[in-house]
Structures are given as structure tokens and as C-alpha cells.
């Protein structure tokens, strides 16, 4: 009963942005730098969709584009990747996941930056979204997600649902608070099971599986990259796992189609 939904959040740019002819020895009309947080199926699909859509648009326009795809591997390395793009004076940066977007926004106010696989731009930029930043969002309809879990599991007042997320990902807290409020309207108990280092994940998810009737995982890149650990622990206790991104461990989900999300971001890049 997996339902795939593609939700696109287009944030209006506050200033007109235009791509300029690239330098640095490239023979292409434009150069684009892609900073992907880590290797994971969802992020990989978003990058692929972006590249496919942008290349198709450029071909149709009779232009060429050079796309430099880089995977940071972890959040603190995104800045290193972004700095190589700014040094090359690329025409546009695509930041795949929140840490990559933050690194890009901190590095430049002149180069257009498009985000994807980002849940909440307003939460990410509490003091205001920078004028050169726009993009697409992977936020899911939390009310429908909670309703689906209640109906498929027959949850009643007093039942306990765990929400597993990494405290290093601020957007995961936004999702936790949204889902928590919806469950508590039905008097369903919600508890956050959090970790900051992946070495803690096994212990935390084992605790959650022992204590909860079901486990919900928001769009959290750190959990997604290590979700085999989550799946194994919950399977032992026969605890169903619901996620915002789908995946092999997921019992059911209203998940984002990340390829389509990337495609929409690529179309935005072609219009910038």
C-alpha cells in the first residue's frame, strides 16, 4: 500500500538571477556544481533526476552544460566541496540535502543556489531565505502519514509510536514535532529516539523496538544511510517501520519520488 507522492516547493527568488558564460577553461556554455551530502538511493535519484532534466533542457535550447557531481560523504565536508565550486566560479550550485544547502548559502551570495531533498527552507534559514537560494522540498503530508499509520495498525489511545532521527539534522526535528502533535490529538503516545553518532544507532533503535508498537522515520539522511540496522532490530521484535522516503525496510509510506523531485529542480536550474 505504498503511495508515492511528489511534492514540489518552489521558493521565489528575491532577485533576478541569470547564468553567465563560464570561464576556468570549460568549453561548455555553462558549468554547474552538484554537492550531494552522501551516497543513498533517495539522494542518488534526486541528483540523477536533476542532471537528466538539466541536460535535456540545455540540449533543447542548443546549449551545453558541464556538471561537476561531488558526494561530500558527511556534513562537515560539504563546505570543502562547495568551496571548490566557488573557486571555479560555476554558474549555479545544486545542493542535495540540507547540510549541503547551508554550506552553499554560507559560501556565496552571488552564485544561484538550488536545494533539493530539503524539508523546510524556513526552518533551515530562520533569519530569512537568502536571495540567491531557492529549490524543491521533500516534505510529506504529515497528517496523511499519521492517519495512515493509525488506520493500518489500528492504533488506539495509549499505544506508543517511536520517532527515530538524528539530532544533527534540524529538519528531522520539524517533522517529529509535526507528527507528534497529530498523534497526540488521538491520545497516542509519541517518543523521540534520537542519536548524534551512527555508533549509537544500534542501541537506540533496539530500545525503540522493545518499547513501541511502531516506528516512524522522517526524511533523515543519516538514518536512511543506515536503515538496514533499523530494519534488522525492528524485524526481530515484529515492529513495523514507516518512513518518509520509502526504502526496503518500510512497511508502508507516503513517500517522495526523489527522481521526480530532482527533475523539477533541474527544470528550475534551466530557467535560472
Amino acid at each position: 500500500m505504498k503511495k508515492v507522492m511528489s511534492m514540489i516547493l518552489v521558493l521565489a527568488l528575491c532577485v533576478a538571477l541569470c547564468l553567465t558564460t563560464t570561464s576556468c577553461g570549460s568549453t561548455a556554455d555553462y558549468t554547474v556544481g552538484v554537492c550531494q551530502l552522501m551516497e543513498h538511493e533517495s539522494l542518488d535519484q534526486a541528483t540523477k533526476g536533476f542532471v537528466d532534466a538539466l541536460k535535456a533542457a540545455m540540449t533543447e535550447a542548443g546549449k551545453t552544460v558541464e556538471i561537476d557531481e561531488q558526494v561530500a560523504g558527511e556534513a562537515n565536508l560539504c563546505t570543502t566541496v562547495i568551496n571548490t565550486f566557488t573557486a571555479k566560479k560555476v554558474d549555479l550550485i545544486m545542493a542535495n540535502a540540507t547540510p549541503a544547502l547551508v554550506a552553499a548559502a554560507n559560501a556565496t551570495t552571488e552564485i544561484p543556489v538550488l536545494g533539493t531533498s530539503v524539508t523546510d527552507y524556513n526552518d533551515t534559514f530562520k533569519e530569512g531565505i537568502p536571495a540567491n537560494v531557492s529549490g524543491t522540498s521533500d516534505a510529506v503530508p504529515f497528517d496523511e502519514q499519521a492517519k495512515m499509520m493509525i488506520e493500518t495498525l489500528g492504533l488506539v489511545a495509549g499505544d506508543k509510536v517511536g520517532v527515530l532521527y538524528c539530532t544533527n539534522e534540524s529538519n528531522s526535528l520539524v517533522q517529529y514535532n509535526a507528527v507528534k502533535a497529530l498523534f497526540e490529538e488521538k491520545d497516542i503516545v509519541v517518543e523521540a529516539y534520537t542519536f548524534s553518532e551512527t555508533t549509537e544507532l544500534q542501541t537506540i533503535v533496539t530500545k525503540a523496538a522493545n518499547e513501541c508498537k511502531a516506528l516512524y522515520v522522517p526524511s533523515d539522511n543519516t538514518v536512511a544511510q543506515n536503515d538496514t540496522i533499523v530494519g534488522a532490530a525492528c524485524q526481530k521484535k515484529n515492529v513495523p517501520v514507516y518512513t518518509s522516503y520509502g526504502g526496503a525496510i518500510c512497511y508502508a509510506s507516503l513517500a517522495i519520488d526523489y527522481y521526480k523531485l530532482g527533475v523539477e529542480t533541474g527544470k528550475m536550474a534551466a530557467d535560472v
Side-chain angles (χ1 to χ4, degrees):
M1 63 178 295
K2 189 176 294 184
K3 180 182 178 182
V4 178
M5 298 184 65
S6 179
M7 299 185 62
I8 307 304
L9 170 66
V10 179
L11 304 174
L13 287 174
C14 297
V15 297
L17 301 172
C18 60
L19 293 175
T20 55
T21 303
T22 147
S23 55
C24 300
S26 173
T27 58
D29 294 307
Y30 305 114
T31 57
V32 172
V34 174
C35 178
Q36 180 175 317
L37 172 60
M38 60 179 65
E39 290 185 350
H40 182 267
E41 182 181 358
S42 298
L43 300 185
D44 293 345
Q45 286 298 306
T47 293
K48 186 177 187 301
F50 173 82
V51 171
D52 289 350
L54 180 56
K55 284 184 175 180
M58 290 296 97
T59 298
E60 184 177 349
K63 300 291 184 179
T64 57
V65 59
E66 177 185 307
I67 303 176
D68 185 359
E69 300 178 49
Q70 299 292 331
V71 178
E74 55 186 72
N76 61 359
L77 295 179
C78 288
T79 298
T80 302
V81 173
I82 295 297
N83 285 343
T84 64
F85 294 157
T86 57
K88 288 171 61 177
K89 297 181 180 179
V90 298
D91 297 300
L92 181 140
I93 295 172
M94 192 279 266
N96 191 349
T98 303
L101 181 65
V102 172
N106 288 340
T108 179
T109 58
E110 298 177 355
I111 300 173
V113 175
L114 292 180
T116 197
S117 310
V118 176
T119 303
D120 191 323
Y121 286 76
N122 289 318
D123 179 73
T124 300
F125 302 106
K126 292 182 175 62
E127 296 182 2
I129 301 168
N132 65 318
V133 173
S134 186
T136 56
S137 170
D138 63 357
V140 299
F142 300 116
D143 55 342
E144 293 184 30
Q145 189 89 47
K147 182 180 178 181
M148 180 185 67
M149 291 181 68
I150 292 170
E151 292 179 348
T152 56
L153 295 177
L155 296 176
V156 296
D159 284 339
K160 186 175 181 179
V161 173
V163 181
L164 177 69
Y165 66 92
C166 178
T167 55
N168 294 327
E169 300 202 24
S170 63
N171 284 175
S172 293
L173 177 59
V174 173
Q175 296 172 79
Y176 165 68
N177 287 332
V179 170
K180 182 175 185 289
L182 291 163
F183 278 122
E184 289 182 342
E185 288 178 1
K186 302 293 184 180
D187 294 321
I188 294 169
V189 180
V190 180
E191 182 171 340
Y193 291 85
T194 65
F195 64 98
S196 58
E197 302 290 338
T198 53
T199 52
E200 303 168 346
L201 180 56
Q202 180 70 63
T203 300
I204 295 299
V205 73
T206 299
K207 184 175 186 293
N210 285 329
E211 298 176 352
C212 300
K213 188 168 182 178
L215 190 67
Y216 175 66
V217 180
S219 300
D220 187 296
N221 294 302
T222 307
V223 177
Q225 190 182 37
N226 299 277
D227 64 5
T228 53
I229 297 173
V230 179
C234 291
Q235 188 174 32
K236 286 181 181 179
K237 295 294 182 178
N238 198 30
V239 173
V241 180
Y242 292 71
T243 76
S244 289
Y245 58 87
I249 70 168
C250 185
Y251 177 77
S253 176
L254 299 179
I256 294 294
D257 185 325
Y258 279 86
Y259 180 82
K260 290 181 179 178
L261 190 72
V263 166
E264 293 303 318
T265 316
K267 290 177 180 178
M268 290 178 69
D271 289 336
V272 172

